[in-house]
Amino acid sequence: MTERADLRWVDTHAHLDDRKYQADQLEVIQRAMGAGVTTIINIGADLASSRASVKLAEGSPGLYATVGVHPHDAATVDRGALDELRRLAQHPRVVAIGEIGLDYYRDLSPRPQQREAFAAQLDLAASLGKPVVIHDREAHDETVGLLSEWARGGASRAGVMHCFAGDLALARRVLDLGFYIGVDGPVTFNNARRLVELVRQLPADRLLLETDCPYLTPHPHRGRRNEPAYVPLIAQRIAEIKEVSLAWIASVTSANAARLFGLEV
Ligand code: NI
């Protein structure tokens, strides 16, 4: 049993504009609210999904948006795109710039272009005073290197390492920068020994719950479409790993999300 009507959750990373929700987006949001996931941050990954995220957040209480271009689409980040992101980011329901970063696993954009797009969007976040949502796949050293430089530029510069996939040493570097660590469905998988060990050692006051839906569906729904209503399943596993109550994880992670993104939850 993981659903407790008295607990409130934040899904800090959802993609509800994905076409997989075309037929039932509203029901998915209602199901989340029913499960206590009363705050959802919908993440932009290119210009179209950034626009869609803002629109979604505008129309649904409890929903917020981020705007940004994922490293896969780094080639599209030109002056015009940055201008539009800046304009979209002025909207009061836009709480961060992201997801941005480096992806050297799929390498869908040339690496120099990825670095340039990442740096330009970090600058944008800094100039707007917004935190960043970071995608880092097989590019740990360069990502954290760029973030270290960026974070040194101002005390309020912070963000989250979305779906963190590094080791404890990298986590410590990230925590030293004041960043948060995003934990997703894979922590519930049977073969998640390394991630479980990592979560055990990370401070709870720096963890954020994320579904990354429609991807990374937690156990026991693995193999099917993910949705924000499953956030308590991720939290349940973290509570077991850390040997604390589910209620405590709810209050700490919600406070973390509120602090980083400036939300009222
Ligand atoms: Ni994502």
Side-chain angles (χ1 to χ4, degrees), residues 95-257:
V95 295
I97 300 299
E99 55 185 285
I100 59 176
L102 301 173
D103 192 316
Y104 291 176
Y105 176 69
R106 295 188 63 196
D107 272 324
L108 293 185
S109 284
R111 292 181 179 185
Q113 242 164 14
Q114 291 193 40
R115 287 191 286 268
E116 206 177 305
F118 185 25
Q121 292 179 93
L122 286 173
D123 283 347
L124 175 65
S127 76
L128 294 165
K130 301 245 187 243
V132 287
V133 177
I134 302 299
H135 174 101
D136 157 27
R137 198 132 182 236
E138 313 265 319
H140 299 330
D141 277 328
E142 276 191 54
T143 302
V144 176
L146 282 165
L147 287 177
S148 303
E149 234 172 86
W150 180 74
R152 268 199 296 273
S156 63
R157 296 185 181 187
V160 54
M161 296 298 282
H162 157 54
C163 195
F164 183 76
D167 60 9
L168 186 61
L170 189 81
R172 290 210 168 107
R173 288 174 64 194
V174 164
L175 294 171
D176 282 347
L177 297 178
F179 270 60
Y180 291 75
I181 304 261
V183 183
D184 303 63
V187 77
T188 67
F189 296 170
N190 284 329
N191 58 356
R193 206 167 309 147
R194 208 180 56 84
L195 182 57
V196 164
E197 203 38 58
L198 181 74
V199 165
R200 196 190 316 281
Q201 300 189 63
L202 295 176
D205 67 355
R206 302 292 280 284
L207 299 183
L208 291 177
L209 303 176
E210 317 180 318
T211 58
D212 201 24
C213 66
Y215 314 106
L216 305 181
T217 312
H219 177 81
H221 305 293
R222 196 175 177 182
R224 279 169 279 165
R225 186 186 70 173
N226 197 3
E227 59 179 74
Y230 297 159
V231 158
L233 295 169
I234 301 166
Q236 177 65 43
R237 187 70 188 107
I238 296 173
E240 285 165 14
I241 293 167
K242 298 185 102 48
E243 299 181 43
V244 295
S245 72
L246 192 59
W248 189 75
I249 292 294
S251 84
V252 172
T253 56
S254 293
N256 294 345

Side-chain angles (χ1 to χ4, degrees), residues 70-82:
H70 192 283
H72 291 343
D73 288 306
T76 67
V77 181
D78 56 13
R79 181 49 45 203
L82 288 166

